[in-house]
Amino acid sequence: MATFKEFRNNVKPNWCPGCGDFSIQAAIQRAAANVGLEPEQLAVISGIGCSGRISGYINAYGLHGIHGRALPIAQGVKLANRELTVIASGGDGDGFAIGMGHTVHAIRRNLNITYIVMDNQIYGLTKGQTSPRSAEGFKTKSTPEGSIESTLSPLEIAMSAGATFVAQSFSSDLKGLTSLIEQGIQHEGFSLINVFSPCVTFNKINTYDWFKENIVSLEQFPDYDPSDRVVAMNKIMETNGMLTGLIYQNKSRKSYEDMIPGFKPEALANQELSITQEQFDQLVAEFK
Amino acid sequence: MISQLSWKIGGQQGEGVESTDRIFSTALNRLGYYLYGYRHFSSRIKGGHTNNKIRISTKPIRAISDDLDILVAFDQESIDLNARELRKGGVIVADAKFNPTVPEDVEARLFAVPITKMAEELGTSLMKNMVASGASWALLGLPLEVFNKAVEEEFGRKGPAIVEKNIEAVKAGAEFVLEQAGGPLDDFKLDEADGKQKLFMIGNEAIGLGSIAAGCRLMSAYPITPASEIMEYLIKKLPKFGGTVVQTEDEIAAVTMAIGANYAGVRTMTASAGPGLSLMMEAIGLAGMTEQPLVIVNTQRGGPSTGLPTKQEQSDLNAMVYGTHGEIPKIVIAPSTIEDCFYDMIEAFNLSEEYQVPVIVMTDLQLSLGKQSCEPLDYSKVQISRGKLVKDSPALEGGELFKRYEFTEDGVSPRILPGEKGGIHHVTGVEHDEVGRPSENAMNRKLMMEKRLKKLNNLRIRDAIRVDAPNEKPDLLIIGMGSTGGTIDAARDMLKENGISSNHITVRQIHPFPAEQLKPHLENAGKVIVIENNATAQLAGQIKMNAGYADKIESLLKYDGNPFLPLEVYKACKELS
Ligand SMILES: Cc1ncc(C[n+]2csc(CCOP(=O)(O)OP(=O)(O)O)c2C)c(N)n1
Ligand code: SF4
Ligand SMILES: [Mg+2]
């Protein structure tokens, strides 16, 4: 069985020292090992941004695609080979601005993949513009007078889109994050894990210290029941979206793959490409 | 006795024009006639004039006719709009209910049949299409049993009582009109057909069928006219083969999902039309850069923007050839017959894996939606080739990665699928090295660009150009693509009768352009005319740019939304020669 070290490669990340993304990478590697995966059984599909580079830093199959499209690519991979564990990952701009349409529909579709958003409330790669996750009044290169748009709440959106697994974490909490990723991988359906991942270079407001002060951990509520949708939604609103932990899980809904008529449990990629002459004749018969 | 005839049915959209046409043509197909259909419709679902035309012949035909022999009209508008297409002595079968009148300048025989009344007497006005088609079938003197069999199949699932009623309606229409006309019309009697079994289908169905035969098991797509039938066909059929269709949230998702699925090893396609193609452009570049196989069908319609969404055009050629930023290898092929629609899909999937490039199959609305006779399709001709796909590569040692982008002589590298133990590598749209890691090294960049671009240097597809050249030195060389081939051939028959010799070339490999194959034909022709459904002569532009002979090349363009008619092509060619 592979250890987390086997999910490491020898590429040195080009992230700034102190960037929150390092820990997310480590958490994915640990979680993959903890759930018993071998590197070739994992595919990490990422978007474009500082965060999007993550697929190149993990020893597994990886595809670094185009901005905002990690999810449809990841869903294609999963449909083609459902035996793979598929993780999609990218930034808050990637998933909640340019790729928001895909995020909502991937949630609705509920394929058995895990989506990890590396949420730094800013555009890192393009050197510090506002993101849909930026707070109102947040000053950036693109909002010198402060952002005048309201902040998007991905957790609320996920809940209302019918998510079956919603979690949030903080990159400093390696243990908690690793555990959530494991649970996300094991969840039979789409799992969204939004991870606060400070951008030490461009975001001087939402810093490590700021998160430590503002995060509300679900551990504080021993009676919390993540299977109750209304409770989950209330808690998200009460804590202004700063909640961390497993917020909601619906274990009864089947994954998309399991609901496709005639879809086999084995990888489609390994199935025969040709059909029989008899099958072909049947197809042709309706045109006579 | 005549060897061919054109029949048209017109009415309000949603009034049964489609189903009448379907039953009528199925019956003709059973009799072994060659058929070519043309659907005139607007993007409204209900209401608005619509008509379907079928050309019926004892010989192969691939074009609509200039004129019309029989018009079946459910309303006066259908007569007013279509009667002038009738040849002298043509026939109108119309519903007596609206007191049909024939325009003064039209010489046609009118049969007013109480279509609605008879249908209502038999139970429901819904059956008026059966009364009408029965009447027009009877005028042709064709065997009623064959027609009834088609009716039985259309309504079979609704139970024997419904079938019975509809057959009665057919009979009622037939008997009424035969009495009025004093028997079948002598001058409408078709020669017997060759009786050989043919298929009767639209291009989009042939594309769907070809995809399944090619091993395509996934499709991701977003609905759009005139591509949706491909998706609808595969939704019905793919589950039988373990596959599925995903209706995505947009075309960007459709194409990127297809890229992901191809990357993971399943032959996957998407299909769209102009607006969707525009949305796919960035992703096409990703497929080119990361050398993923990808098949996109673009069913062209009237552009730009929403343009004429339900009309014929061939104006996306440049978008397909040049679309996406940067420079990638890409193949664009253009089927030109219904049989091509089938076989080219197999070729497209093979090429996309052999060369690891995006392949765009371009059709046009008339080819995609025109229903026509198709020669029997031969599954034994279907060969699946997956190119340099590697299985069971030896395990990698100490952090080593699989050289997915290895420099090779032909530029094509070995490809391995996720899940393979010895295959781990990286894939990125960022410039990368042989194992797929990002690299900005100038030398590597240059080599990688050259590697990708040289992959298509030796591309040879089946019939890159399809040549019909009976004349060594023709007065005229006519060049076209897509659905225009049959019309061009019909025009050539007229040219020949008038002593003008012509050759005909259909360009099927649009990109990379098969210039060398075309050059000798351009050289030998007196004059060259390029015929295309667009306003800026895009195909002619490709020919001039790639093969030269600009001073010899003229264009006939049509961009009013309608396909060319043989007479139009004939006139333009005659004027030129
Ligand atoms: C279609 C397109 N538009 C714009 C860009 C430029 N771009 C690259 S990353 C990015 C935003 C990055 O922000 P985020 O997704 O939050 O990732 P981060 O860098 O913060 O991790 C932008 C706008 C692009 N690559 N593609
Ligand atoms: S710019 Fe910000 S997000 Fe990007 S690597 Fe540096 S710290 Fe991380
Ligand atoms: Mg960001």
Side-chain angles (χ1 to χ4, degrees):
Chain A
M1 221 173 66
T3 67
F4 74 92
K5 286 189 184 139
E6 280 156 79
F7 288 90
R8 284 185 184 160
N9 63 17
N10 51 16
V11 183
K12 193 177 164 296
N14 63 359
W15 292 318
C16 310
C19 174
D21 294 352
F22 283 101
S23 309
I24 300 179
Q25 175 200 331
I28 293 175
Q29 289 163 329
R30 278 160 204 263
N34 291 352
V35 299
L37 291 175
E38 297 295 329
E40 70 274 8
Q41 296 171 322
L42 174 65
V44 181
I45 313 299
S46 59
I48 299 293
C50 293
S51 45
R53 287 293 183 120
I54 194 161
S55 57
Y57 305 151
I58 294 172
N59 186 46
Y61 280 90
L63 194 156
H64 176 228
I66 46 178
H67 193 27
R69 319 299 169 198
L71 279 175
I73 297 174
Q75 292 171 88
V77 173
K78 186 68 182 183
L79 284 167
N81 186 343
R82 54 187 302 190
E83 291 170 19
L84 294 171
T85 292
V86 178
I87 292 180
S89 188
D92 45 326
D94 201 74
F96 303 142
I98 191 166
M100 190 62 191
H102 305 312
T103 302
V104 169
H105 292 283
I107 290 171
R108 288 182 52 230
R109 210 168 275 130
N110 197 38
L111 263 98
N112 188 7
I113 63 176
T114 298
Y115 182 34
I116 300 170
V117 182
M118 303 154 85
D119 180 6
N120 54 12
Q121 293 86 17
I122 199 157
Y123 285 11
L125 189 71
T126 45
K127 300 193 163 55
Q129 298 84 6
T130 185
S131 122
R133 291 284 297 132
S134 303
E136 277 190 70
F138 187 61
K139 287 190 179 162
T140 65
K141 279 192 186 141
S142 58
T143 51
E145 306 294 324
S147 168
I148 53 171
E149 295 178 23
S150 69
T151 309
L152 195 106
S153 170
L155 304 180
E156 284 171 46
I157 288 178
M159 289 301 298
S160 57
T164 55
F165 184 106
V166 179
Q168 188 159 259
S169 191
F170 178 32
S171 71
S172 292
D173 176 14
L174 187 59
K175 210 167 136 248
L177 176 57
T178 304
S179 157
L180 284 175
I181 297 175
E182 286 169 33
Q183 292 175 65
I185 292 174
Q186 280 156 346
H187 175 71
E188 296 281 334
F190 188 89
S191 44
L192 169 72
I193 308 173
N194 191 62
V195 188
F196 299 129
S197 177
C199 169
V200 293
T201 304
F202 295 110
N203 191 336
K204 304 293 184 193
I205 306 285
N206 309 106
T207 60
Y208 283 97
D209 286 342
W210 184 89
F211 280 113
K212 275 181 198 135
E213 254 166 56
N214 287 281
I215 276 173
V216 182
S217 168
L218 269 175
E219 282 171 14
Q220 297 172 28
F221 311 100
D223 296 335
Y224 184 80
D225 175 8
S227 70
D228 189 324
R229 200 158 176 244
V230 177
V231 167
M233 198 66 165
N234 278 337
K235 208 67 179 169
I236 293 167
M237 290 185 172
E238 269 167 37
T239 56
N240 207 14
M242 293 307 293
L243 200 57
T244 58
L246 174 57
I247 298 164
Y248 179 70
Q249 184 173 19
N250 172 352
K251 292 185 182 167
S252 61
R253 189 178 169 84
K254 282 191 195 161
S255 71
Y256 184 87
E257 305 90 293
D258 281 340
M259 292 204 274
I260 302 171
F263 210 61
K264 300 202 180 79
E266 301 83 33
L268 189 52
N270 295 334
Q271 289 164 32
E272 188 56 53
L273 262 66
S274 42
I275 61 176
T276 63
Q277 180 68 45
E278 195 189 341
Q279 285 173 317
F280 184 74
D281 293 342
Q282 273 168 14
L283 286 172
V284 165
E286 75 176 86
F287 301 112
K288 286 181 178 167
Chain B
M1 297 286 254
I2 51 173
S3 65
Q4 62 158 300
L5 181 130
S6 283
W7 176 92
K8 187 185 246 187
I9 179 158
Q12 292 293 302
Q13 212 142 223
E15 211 176 16
V17 169
E18 284 295 324
S19 59
T20 314
D21 174 270
R22 190 164 55 236
I23 297 168
F24 202 82
S25 48
T26 302
L28 287 163
N29 184 51
R30 296 278 165 73
L31 288 169
Y33 288 104
Y34 286 91
L35 307 172
Y36 189 88
Y38 175 62
R39 253 159 94 177
H40 165 103
F41 65 111
S42 64
S43 35
R44 282 167 66 183
I45 299 305
K46 231 177 161 114
H49 173 74
T50 178
N51 65 65
N52 282 21
K53 185 171 175 179
I54 314 173
R55 189 170 177 200
I56 309 151
S57 171
T58 54
K59 289 187 289 270
I61 33 158
R62 290 189 292 127
I64 48 176
S65 53
D66 291 297
D67 58 8
L68 183 64
D69 298 280
I70 298 191
L71 173 66
V72 179
F74 284 140
D75 51 20
Q76 186 62 39
E77 189 186 3
S78 297
I79 298 182
D80 296 342
L81 288 172
N82 300 292
R84 277 169 197 87
E85 211 178 305
L86 283 165
R87 67 166 169 82
K88 252 192 207 142
V91 160
I92 300 174
V93 176
D95 195 344
K97 185 183 166 190
F98 62 88
N99 296 321
T101 55
V102 182
E104 265 170 35
D105 54 332
V106 175
E107 259 180 60
R109 283 168 281 176
L110 173 70
F111 295 98
V113 180
I115 292 173
T116 305
K117 190 162 159 260
M118 286 174 144
E120 277 167 355
E121 279 169 9
L122 282 165
T124 161
S125 66
L126 283 177
M127 290 190 304
K128 65 187 192 179
N129 53 355
M130 291 299 104
V131 180
S133 48
S136 64
W137 184 265
L139 285 174
L140 301 181
L142 294 167
L144 215 56
E145 316 81 67
V146 181
F147 195 84
N148 288 343
K149 184 93 204 312
V151 173
E152 210 177 299
E153 279 164 34
E154 173 86 13
F155 297 103
R157 67 195 148 82
K158 294 188 178 162
I162 303 277
V163 171
E164 204 45 50
K165 279 275 174 228
N166 278 281
I167 288 179
E168 267 179 56
V170 170
K171 192 166 162 237
E175 279 174 358
F176 185 93
V177 84
L178 287 181
E179 177 145 358
Q180 210 179 35
L185 302 172
D186 281 342
D187 50 341
F188 280 64
K189 198 140 178 49
L190 277 163
D191 284 329
E192 247 178 65
D194 64 11
K196 278 195 214 129
Q197 179 74 72
K198 292 160 198 72
L199 306 177
F200 184 53
M201 65 208 301
I202 62 171
N204 281 349
E205 289 167 331
I207 287 170
L209 181 63
S211 303
I212 293 177
C216 169
R217 294 293 176 267
L218 285 173
M219 180 192 201
S220 43
Y222 190 79
I224 191 167
T225 304
S228 298
E229 291 78 4
I230 303 172
M231 181 181 179
E232 286 157 13
Y233 178 79
L234 289 177
I235 286 170
K236 278 188 277 167
K237 305 297 173 194
L238 274 182
K240 297 194 174 80
F241 303 96
T244 192
V245 175
V246 182
Q247 180 180 326
T248 53
E249 53 275 21
D250 58 30
E251 288 86 350
I252 300 176
V255 69
T256 48
M257 201 176 280
I259 291 171
N262 272 296
Y263 158 72
V266 173
R267 289 191 158 189
T268 305
M269 69 132 138
T270 185
S272 191
L277 180 77
S278 293
L279 286 184
M280 292 181 190
M281 286 304 176
E282 187 195 9
I284 292 173
L286 173 71
M289 181 62 154
T290 58
E291 308 194 40
Q292 303 303 335
L294 172 67
V295 174
I296 299 171
V297 177
N298 178 39
T299 59
Q300 297 172 97
R301 63 186 213 181
S305 188
T306 307
L308 294 171
T310 60
K311 303 282 181 182
Q312 164 72 3
E313 208 164 271
Q314 301 176 317
S315 56
D316 299 345
L317 185 145
N318 285 341
M320 288 182 270
V321 170
Y322 299 115
T324 204
H325 57 283
E327 297 155 309
I328 58 158
K330 185 202 296 162
I331 298 170
V332 182
I333 55 177
S336 67
T337 63
I338 186 100
E339 293 84 5
D340 279 352
C341 287
F342 175 81
Y343 293 111
D344 283 356
M345 287 313 291
I346 291 134
E347 175 122 43
F349 278 102
N350 284 344
L351 292 172
S352 78
E353 286 205 287
E354 284 165 354
Y355 294 93
Q356 302 173 11
V357 295
V359 178
I360 305 181
V361 179
M362 65 174 247
T363 69
D364 49 53
L365 184 133
Q366 178 56 18
L367 183 58
S368 269
L369 297 186
K371 204 165 179 181
Q372 51 181 302
S373 300
C374 175
E375 297 295 346
L377 299 170
D378 186 353
Y379 186 61
S380 70
K381 278 194 195 156
V382 174
Q383 302 275 343
I384 290 174
S385 153
R386 306 203 68 181
K388 294 191 188 175
L389 187 65
V390 180
K391 283 234 157 204
D392 306 320
S393 181
L396 300 160
E397 304 282 327
E400 214 188 321
L401 294 179
F402 182 85
K403 284 194 179 171
R404 171 68 183 88
Y405 302 104
E406 186 176 0
F407 295 117
T408 60
E409 195 132 334
D410 59 4
V412 182
S413 315
R415 177 171 159 248
I416 196 158
L417 304 179
E420 291 278 349
K421 198 161 182 58
I424 291 182
H425 61 275
H426 191 50
V427 174
T428 173
V430 173
E431 189 56 277
H432 43 263
D433 62 15
E434 285 179 288
V435 296
R437 282 197 197 126
S439 165
E440 290 184 348
N441 178 292
M443 188 62 194
N444 175 75
R445 158 68 174 181
K446 191 167 170 293
L447 291 173
M448 274 295 169
M449 281 298 286
E450 288 160 7
K451 162 206 183 326
R452 287 188 293 268
L453 292 172
K454 81 176 170 194
K455 288 195 290 185
L456 298 182
N457 281 357
N458 301 314
L459 175 69
R460 281 286 163 273
I461 76 156
R462 177 181 71 95
D463 298 346
I465 56 172
R466 184 168 290 145
V467 180
D468 178 8
N471 308 292
E472 207 168 301
K473 299 247 177 231
D475 300 327
L476 203 60
L477 169 62
I478 311 178
I479 303 180
M481 62 179 164
S483 67
T484 59
T487 311
I488 293 173
D489 283 340
R492 286 171 70 212
D493 289 343
M494 295 184 237
L495 288 168
K496 196 172 169 192
E497 280 164 27
N498 286 277
I500 301 166
S501 65
S502 68
N503 287 354
H504 176 192
I505 287 182
T506 307
V507 182
R508 290 174 22 80
Q509 181 179 314
I510 302 293
H511 184 79
F513 197 81
E516 292 313 312
Q517 284 165 268
L518 197 57
K519 274 180 191 167
H521 299 281
L522 294 167
E523 176 67 35
N524 290 339
K527 280 191 173 142
V528 179
I529 183 163
V530 182
I531 298 194
E532 49 191 315
N533 278 124
N534 59 53
T536 56
Q538 299 183 27
L539 178 61
Q542 289 292 326
I543 298 171
K544 290 176 190 170
M545 185 180 84
N546 291 292
Y549 297 93
D551 48 355
K552 252 191 195 183
I553 297 175
E554 300 286 333
S555 279
L556 173 63
L557 305 174
K558 186 171 182 180
Y559 40 89
D560 65 359
N562 297 306
F564 285 103
L565 290 170
L567 210 54
E568 286 168 345
V569 175
Y570 164 72
K571 279 185 189 152
C573 291
K574 184 145 187 285
E575 222 163 83
L576 183 68
S577 57

